[in-house]
Amino acid sequence: MIADSKRNVLLQKSEVEPPGGDVRMNTMPLVSIIVPVYNTEKYVADCLASLLDQTWTDLEVLCVDDGSTDSSLKIIHAIAARDPRLVVITQPNGGVSSARNSGLRRAKGTYVGFVDSDDTVDYTLIASLMSQMGPNWDIVIEGARRPESVVGIKEKADFASRVLRNELLNSPCGRLYRRSLIEESGLIFAEETSLGEDLLFNASYLSRARGVRTISGKRYFIREREGSLTRSFRPSKFEELMYVHDALRRILEWAASARMDSVLNYLRIKALASSLASARASRVIRDHRDMFARAKAMRESYPHLPVDLGDPQMRAVGWVYARLGLVPLTWLVVLSRWLRELTRHILRSKFVSAELGRRSTNSMTRVEEL
């Protein structure tokens, strides 16, 4: 935990001044953070500690246990007994979308955010987001390459194509939404699919938002672990992704443009290659002939996906798909995943070596002092 002297300094920093007036500690709007939990006993305590230790103190943390079979619920109740800001909600297992929707129904805050139970956040995340929130903005998103303020249909349409390309709509985490807009629009997370539901929710919300702000920085820390939903093989991945992309195109009709069409085609090509790569990597497709047959069927389903505009990577992916087909593109996806995992392993090894070296040096120093 943070020392009292340091905590006082941090609390002073959280007296943020958003556009539209000065906001002091005793007048801070309530912020609701929804945390869906399912069998994350190893991580949920760290997650909740990072939220309850926020410099923005006027918050409620709605922890929705989605039928966990490990000790997650016991851990949550123990923490809630020490901090009344933690609200525990239990339900039978229904999936992450169902859990988030349960949290939305119970939320009381002016603004609402989401955190996954195996992730952690910087203790200034909410204060940083709230410092940019104001009466003209319905959402503030962290993690952009540069700060930006967007208002108006034309500007918002261009913004939508860019954030789609940069994958800033793929998750509801690391941002704050205006709860009244969610309720007035009747927005919920789609429970009929567990893949891409976040993208559909964000696209629907963006369609209704009056103004959007983005901030740079990385204050949301994702923990990648084996067995998580996004990393496991899904036999229905192809069908689910195609459903999501068809729905996405309908939701974003208001933002139709040549660039948006290129971005949507690019994302669909990536989804096709990702579906095939997941099957190949999982060894579900053991025979290369089966893999080629699946690729051919996918390609025949979507023969024309032109990527005429966009950055070089987008256009290169479109060119490979149009000229060489889906199989070469799939192998490129598999290779890029392997290189990404290798890079993570190398960086993790360097960090561990450096940490062990630091501890060894400190131990030697203490011995010499003795």
Side-chain angles (χ1 to χ4, degrees):
M1 297 297 289
I2 302 173
D4 290 341
S5 58
K6 186 177 180 181
R7 184 183 298 280
N8 291 335
V9 173
L10 295 175
L11 290 176
Q12 291 172 8
K13 288 181 180 179
S14 69
E15 296 179 2
V16 295
E17 188 173 335
D22 186 23
V23 177
R24 297 300 169 188
M25 293 296 291
N26 59 351
T27 60
M28 292 194 302
L30 178 67
V31 175
S32 299
I33 302 297
I34 297 170
V35 183
V37 178
Y38 179 70
N39 289 351
T40 51
E41 60 183 1
K42 295 180 180 178
Y43 316 110
V44 67
D46 288 341
C47 172
L48 296 179
S50 71
L51 288 170
L52 297 172
D53 205 32
Q54 289 290 301
T55 59
W56 188 276
T57 57
D58 196 5
L59 79 160
E60 62 172 2
V61 179
L62 302 163
C63 216
V64 185
D65 183 78
D66 188 39
S68 293
T69 57
D70 63 1
S71 60
S72 295
L73 184 58
K74 181 179 179 181
I75 293 169
I76 296 166
H77 277 302
I79 297 172
R82 301 194 299 268
D83 195 322
R85 295 176 300 167
L86 178 58
V87 179
V88 182
I89 303 170
T90 60
Q91 66 174 40
N93 181 251
V96 65
S97 291
S98 173
R100 285 174 179 156
N101 290 335
S102 294
L104 283 173
R105 287 191 290 270
R106 291 281 299 272
K108 300 176 182 177
T110 305
Y111 304 99
V112 63
F114 302 91
V115 173
D116 289 339
S117 61
D118 50 356
D119 298 336
T120 57
V121 300
D122 184 87
Y123 54 81
T124 64
L125 173 65
I126 297 177
S128 298
L129 292 169
M130 285 300 299
S131 70
Q132 299 302 315
M133 185 66 82
N136 298 321
W137 315 112
D138 288 323
I139 181 171
V140 177
I141 303 172
E142 189 237 30
R145 294 177 180 176
R146 59 185 176 86
E148 185 176 9
S149 299
V150 179
V151 66
I153 294 295
K154 183 177 180 181
E155 293 79 6
K156 201 170 68 167
D158 180 63
F159 174 80
S161 67
R162 284 186 282 112
V163 294
L164 263 179
R165 164 65 184 95
N166 297 327
E167 300 183 351
L168 276 181
L169 296 185
N170 287 6
S171 170
C173 303
R175 60 209 63 198
L176 287 178
Y177 306 80
R178 191 180 299 276
R179 185 170 65 87
S180 60
L181 180 57
I182 295 176
E183 291 188 346
E184 291 164 5
S185 305
L187 291 179
I188 60 172
F189 288 88
E191 298 182 19
E192 62 270 20
T193 179
S194 56
L195 191 65
E197 73 283 2
D198 301 340
L199 180 59
L200 297 181
F201 179 88
N202 281 327
S204 298
Y205 187 91
L206 180 61
S207 300
R208 294 165 172 81
R210 296 164 299 171
V212 182
R213 273 196 163 171
T214 63
I215 61 175
S216 55
K218 184 174 176 56
R219 301 172 187 85
Y220 189 100
F221 309 117
I222 298 174
R223 188 196 306 270
E224 294 200 14
R225 58 188 178 89
E226 293 297 330
S228 66
L229 192 59
T230 55
R231 291 175 65 88
S232 17
F233 170 71
R234 307 167 65 87
S236 60
K237 184 174 184 178
F238 169 67
E239 289 74 17
E240 288 185 81
L241 284 176
M242 293 308 100
Y243 165 83
V244 167
H245 282 274
D246 288 339
L248 185 63
R249 193 175 287 272
R250 290 193 298 272
I251 291 169
L252 293 174
E253 283 180 346
W254 62 273
S257 67
R259 179 177 175 80
M260 176 63 81
D261 195 52
S262 286
V263 171
L264 289 171
N265 286 341
Y266 165 75
L267 293 177
R268 190 181 288 274
I269 292 169
K270 283 187 64 179
L272 289 167
S274 176
S275 299
L276 200 56
S278 295
R280 181 70 189 94
S282 67
R283 297 181 181 176
V284 170
I285 298 179
R286 299 180 183 275
D287 192 319
H288 282 225
R289 288 175 298 178
D290 291 342
M291 185 172 133
F292 279 101
R294 185 174 173 86
K296 183 180 179 181
M298 288 183 184
R299 179 71 180 279
E300 289 175 350
S301 299
Y302 302 95
H304 303 294
L305 292 172
V307 182
D308 302 319
L309 297 174
D311 55 66
Q313 180 178 326
M314 279 179 56
R315 301 184 76 169
V317 167
W319 185 90
V320 172
Y321 180 80
R323 300 291 193 280
L324 304 180
L326 190 56
V327 171
L329 190 61
T330 298
W331 285 114
L332 287 176
V333 171
V334 173
L335 179 61
S336 66
R337 287 181 178 178
W338 180 81
L339 289 174
R340 191 161 56 245
E341 291 295 331
L342 179 62
T343 301
R344 285 200 193 102
H345 177 74
I346 292 173
L347 292 176
R348 192 181 301 116
S349 299
K350 286 184 177 181
F351 173 79
V352 171
S353 298
E355 182 67 13
L356 291 175
R358 184 186 65 80
R359 292 179 182 178
S360 177
T361 301
N362 290 344
S363 298
M364 291 298 295
T365 301
R366 286 195 294 270
V367 169
E368 289 173 359
E369 289 174 352
L370 293 174

